Amino acid sequence: MASNYAVGITNGAVTAAACFCGIDQTVASPLRRGRVFELEFGSSITPADNASRVLLQRMSTALPTGGNTSIAGVALDPADPASQILGFTANTGGATLVSTGIVLQVGINMRATFRWVAAPGKEPVIAATQYAGIGIVVSSQTTAYNPDATLMWEE
Amino acid sequence: MAEVKVTDFGQAVSVRNPHGGIMIDGRHVADTLRCCHCGRMWIPVKGSGRKRGFCLKCNDVTCGPQCAGTCLPMEKRLGLVEAGKLRW
């Protein structure tokens, strides 16, 4: 039976061309695919009319570096085993962002809390190959600020 | 400063079988659809002028002309990526 996990970050520093909050296949021969079924993006600092361009984008070639790396996913059901796919947040480099792999793109006001939920069976899927990943990328902001994000996935 | 336009969900249209939903501050504002070939998602917007497609083999929507030609279902694509025969 599938297991569900989450990774998140609060007040994370943004690097435009790097993963802000994502997941990646870290093991050499992964056995399971990952399916992202929910993402949340917002801000918990003093509100203002700033905007962020937020992408859900595929990653490949290597693991994200800098920031917080190889975070074990928090199992939504405590009885589930440790996640095979690991989380990465506030990264500054590493993984190649696949230019043709932008899955979702939205512009979000800092005052708004954005939430996207997939219908069952319609989730973006990451392949069971090493370094296959997907993550939230904040490609640009009107004014730099540190947002919050949560990504949930199924294995 | 960077030019960033906040997405206007005012013209988003509901679809019969959405593949996902977007909520702003807890209120549902838009549906999303997912391409059955490449997995890209989009928000259906009334009068956007964007050309989308439909694959009769998959019986599902495609994101546009670039995915409308050869039918390469998502499951097949994932298999090819995992076999090292295709890069995403």
Side-chain angles (χ1 to χ4, degrees):
Chain A
M1 200 177 108
S3 303
N4 299 322
Y5 303 91
V7 66
I9 184 166
T10 305
N11 269 337
V14 169
T15 302
C19 168
F20 178 67
C21 180
I23 55 172
D24 218 304
Q25 297 275 17
T26 57
V27 297
S29 301
L31 300 172
R32 297 193 292 266
R33 292 173 176 169
R35 297 168 184 273
V36 175
F37 64 87
E38 179 164 340
L39 80 82
E40 287 150 16
F41 187 89
S43 169
S44 54
I45 59 175
T46 306
D49 275 327
N50 301 319
S52 296
R53 183 178 293 121
V54 177
L55 316 176
L56 185 61
Q57 189 167 9
R58 293 186 184 279
M59 303 182 286
S60 66
T61 315
L63 297 177
T65 55
N68 310 304
T69 55
S70 300
I71 309 160
V74 178
L76 301 191
D77 180 346
D80 281 337
S83 63
Q84 173 196 265
I85 297 168
L86 298 180
F88 294 79
T89 59
N91 306 119
T92 54
T96 303
L97 302 176
V98 182
S99 59
T100 55
I102 296 174
V103 175
L104 182 69
Q105 178 175 332
V106 286
I108 302 170
N109 190 304
M110 181 190 183
R111 295 179 191 274
T113 299
F114 174 90
R115 181 175 177 230
W116 167 83
V117 184
K122 298 295 182 182
E123 308 92 345
V125 186
I126 59 170
T129 54
Q130 191 176 28
Y131 305 137
I134 195 166
I136 299 168
V137 176
V138 183
S139 65
S140 59
Q141 295 178 302
T142 52
T143 301
Y145 68 93
N146 291 354
D148 307 340
T150 306
L151 198 68
M152 298 187 194
W153 76 95
E154 178 188 287
E155 298 182 2
Chain B
M1 289 300 163
E3 178 75 22
V4 180
K5 192 177 177 187
V6 174
T7 304
D8 178 13
F9 296 105
Q11 293 297 310
V13 292
S14 293
V15 294
R16 186 173 293 176
N17 295 309
H19 297 167
I22 289 174
M23 277 151 273
I24 298 287
D25 296 337
R27 190 171 59 90
H28 181 268
V29 294
D31 291 336
T32 59
L33 291 173
R34 189 190 74 160
C35 176
C36 60
H37 291 167
C38 72
R40 186 179 170 192
M41 298 188 293
W42 70 92
I43 300 159
V45 173
K46 186 179 181 181
S48 70
R50 297 278 179 90
K51 286 188 176 176
R52 307 298 182 185
F54 192 87
C55 178
L56 294 173
K57 287 184 178 174
C58 299
N59 194 31
D60 208 341
V61 291
T62 58
C63 62
Q66 69 274 18
C67 271
T70 309
C71 174
L72 181 59
M74 172 72 97
E75 199 62 32
K76 177 75 174 171
R77 182 184 289 258
L78 285 165
L80 291 172
V81 170
E82 286 164 355
K85 295 176 180 173
L86 182 73
R87 297 184 72 178
W88 203 276

